[in-house]
Amino acid sequence: MLCLSADGTLPKIDIAVFADTGWEPKKVYEHLDRLEREIAAPAGIPVVRVSSGNIRNDALDPNHRFASMPLYILNQDGKQGMTRRQWTGEYKIKPIKKKIREILGYPYPSRVPKGVFVEQWVGISTDEFHRAKDSGVQYMHNAHPLIDIAWSRADCIRYLERLGLADTPKSSCLGCPFHGNAQWRNIRDTSPSEWADVVEFDAAIRQGNARANATGNPLLGQAYLHRSRVPLSEAPIDHVTAAEWAALRQETGTPDAEDPETGVVDGCSPWACRGELPEPVRDDFGLAV
């Protein structure tokens, strides 16, 4: 959407906001720098980076309040579940809303007058139209330009290729539990330091976040980053899931695609988090429900 705005296909935006969780892959930060330098700056579009902290460090800090991340849980009775997903709101939506209020001239706790709002673009393509939703506040009206111009994910990929941006990485936390096996493999095979980082984090959160344990609320079960609910270093990430096959078929348009290396199709948007999956939900400290 930034590129489409910069080249005049879409109206020129006033500002682009990137919510930084502090734990994106190195390639994402490098790509953002390139977009700012080669696309946004020449078009006169400022790029603002906002943050609520470092999600990895906060999870392991016993003195820091931590918004729950969607970890895969193996309960003591063998039942499976997931912890509640709160980190999208805390580390992406919250800092964006804070910045928007500042832009409007009504920083918290000032009340934003009725009728004062920004139009916020959310990058959802026609493949995911069902994820389009409102912002939840009156001073931010979500719009979905890619849906308005009837662009699919394939259209976006072809456009980026024409711009020389075919290597655009997927934006999501390095240790996001919703990575597909292909994404885990990519980290392992291309960035040993980042792989060591996520393996270490996976082991560190086995009993839940540090704050809960420090306050006498240990996790009733064990937590994992991988859906197999085994340590990430041992997880069957070389297995190609049905979802990954479906993702590849969608990208290439070929039902008999043979290359399984695409991973999860979409990136991670604040208003379209992949956390909304049909997985059993559990309390922070209780059994799966």
Side-chain angles (χ1 to χ4, degrees):
M1 294 187 302
L2 175 63
C3 295
L4 289 169
S5 176
D7 71 14
T9 302
L10 292 175
K12 183 178 178 181
I13 55 177
D14 299 302
I15 191 170
V17 181
F18 175 74
D20 185 5
T21 66
W23 202 27
E24 293 272 350
K26 180 175 64 175
K27 290 181 180 178
V28 170
Y29 293 115
E30 292 173 346
H31 183 72
L32 180 60
D33 290 341
R34 180 185 177 190
L35 284 180
E36 188 170 6
R37 181 177 62 253
E38 299 180 8
I39 303 295
I45 300 173
V47 176
V48 175
R49 308 184 192 204
V50 297
S51 177
S52 287
N54 184 298
I55 196 168
R56 184 195 192 283
N57 295 343
D58 292 348
L60 303 180
D61 183 355
N63 297 312
H64 193 283
R65 174 191 169 275
F66 181 66
S68 177
M69 61 190 295
L71 300 169
Y72 294 96
I73 302 298
L74 183 62
N75 288 311
Q76 293 173 334
D77 62 359
K79 291 183 178 179
Q80 297 181 352
M82 291 195 75
T83 50
R84 291 180 295 183
R85 176 179 57 90
Q86 297 173 326
W87 65 348
T88 299
E90 182 69 21
Y91 290 91
K92 290 193 174 183
I93 295 177
K94 182 178 178 180
I96 289 175
K97 287 182 176 178
K98 180 180 178 181
K99 174 53 66 175
I100 294 305
R101 290 176 66 97
E102 292 175 358
I103 292 171
L104 290 173
Y106 299 95
Y108 183 84
S110 301
R111 181 180 177 86
V112 181
K114 186 175 181 179
V116 176
F117 64 91
V118 299
E119 179 179 276
Q120 174 177 249
W121 291 0
V122 182
I124 296 175
S125 64
T126 55
D127 310 273
E128 298 184 300
F129 70 91
H130 58 283
R131 292 185 181 271
K133 62 182 69 174
D134 294 331
S135 69
V137 292
Q138 293 185 354
Y139 57 85
M140 295 167 64
H141 294 185
N142 280 357
H144 305 88
L146 298 179
I147 293 178
D148 294 339
I149 63 176
W151 270 30
S152 67
R153 175 177 172 78
D155 292 320
C156 295
I157 291 174
R158 284 192 291 268
Y159 174 67
L160 291 174
E161 288 175 343
R162 291 199 301 271
L163 295 180
L165 296 171
D167 59 347
T168 297
K170 296 181 178 70
S171 174
S172 62
C173 287
L174 191 61
C176 178
F178 294 108
H179 283 337
N181 284 342
Q183 288 168 289
W184 289 125
R185 289 195 299 273
N186 181 260
I187 297 172
R188 181 195 64 188
D189 298 342
T190 66
S191 182
S193 62
E194 290 184 326
W195 176 247
D197 183 23
V198 292
V199 168
E200 179 185 8
F201 180 81
D202 174 69
I205 52 85
R206 193 72 68 237
Q207 301 306 319
N209 74 76
R211 177 63 176 170
N213 287 303
T215 56
N217 296 298
L219 191 69
L220 301 181
Q222 293 186 316
Y224 301 88
L225 288 182
H226 193 266
R227 60 174 55 89
S228 64
R229 294 170 174 84
V230 299
L232 186 58
S233 60
E234 304 171 16
I237 65 172
D238 289 301
H239 171 69
V240 182
T241 67
E244 288 170 348
W245 277 112
L248 178 62
R249 290 166 185 152
Q250 183 182 34
E251 281 193 11
T252 63
T254 55
D256 296 319
E258 297 180 356
D259 184 356
E261 293 300 316
T262 54
V264 177
V265 176
D266 53 330
C268 187
S269 164
W271 275 268
C273 177
R274 283 170 288 168
E276 298 171 352
L277 296 176
E279 285 277 348
V281 179
R282 72 183 293 285
D283 290 337
D284 282 342
F285 313 114
L287 296 177
V289 293

